[in-house]
Amino acid sequence: HVQLVESGGGVVQAGGSLRLSCTHSGYISSRHCMGWFRQAPGKAREGVAGISTDGNTRYADSVKGRFTISQDNAKNILYLQMNSLKPEDGAMYYCAAGSPPCGSWFRDFAQRRYKYWGQGTQVTVS
């Protein structure tokens, strides 16, 4: 049974930092293309960051230089380090896993290609 569970969300002041975690089953590990997505109220869900099976990363322009995606395969955890947070970063954040190869769809944050999704963790930036 594949399960993704996000944690680490909360309320933070603008300019602050948060680290989100996504704990997943061992089946996911490094075998999948992993991504972080977010959805703010009244807005469409959008891709934030991704990491491919060979460790290549991809970021949305809006978070480049501020967010870092990483993973600990030994612990089956995907991370999203978020620094210099802005009010517009406030949203529900989701992690997701998609089957490789992590091709153009991965670079484009094509959500339909992500098969597994977590329930989300809320980030509020005041």
Side-chain angles (χ1 to χ4, degrees):
H1 177 65
V2 177
Q3 190 173 18
L4 304 175
V5 180
E6 301 94 337
S7 62
V11 180
V12 63
Q13 290 187 337
S17 298
L18 279 176
R19 187 176 76 162
L20 305 184
S21 299
C22 173
T23 301
H24 51 77
S25 63
Y27 172 75
I28 294 292
S29 191
S30 61
R31 300 185 182 94
H32 287 72
C33 319
M34 303 297 295
W36 284 98
F37 294 80
R38 67 186 181 188
Q39 186 169 23
K43 295 187 177 181
R45 189 166 59 187
E46 62 177 357
V48 175
I51 186 165
S52 70
T53 52
D54 54 4
N56 291 324
T57 57
R58 171 83 171 94
Y59 296 95
D61 289 343
S62 59
V63 306
K64 279 181 182 177
R66 301 188 298 121
F67 290 14
T68 302
I69 187 172
S70 62
Q71 59 185 2
D72 185 332
N73 289 327
K75 296 182 179 179
N76 297 331
I77 302 176
L78 178 74
Y79 297 104
L80 183 67
Q81 177 67 44
M82 306 187 296
N83 300 327
S84 302
L85 283 161
K86 305 175 181 180
E88 52 264 40
D89 293 321
M92 184 71 79
Y93 282 72
Y94 302 89
C95 68
S99 297
C102 311
S104 58
W105 67 269
F106 168 78
R107 294 188 295 272
D108 295 337
F109 293 114
Q111 298 181 40
R112 67 187 186 284
R113 293 294 299 269
Y114 285 85
K115 182 176 181 180
Y116 305 106
W117 291 82
Q119 294 299 307
T121 185
Q122 181 69 44
V123 172
T124 302
V125 184
S126 60

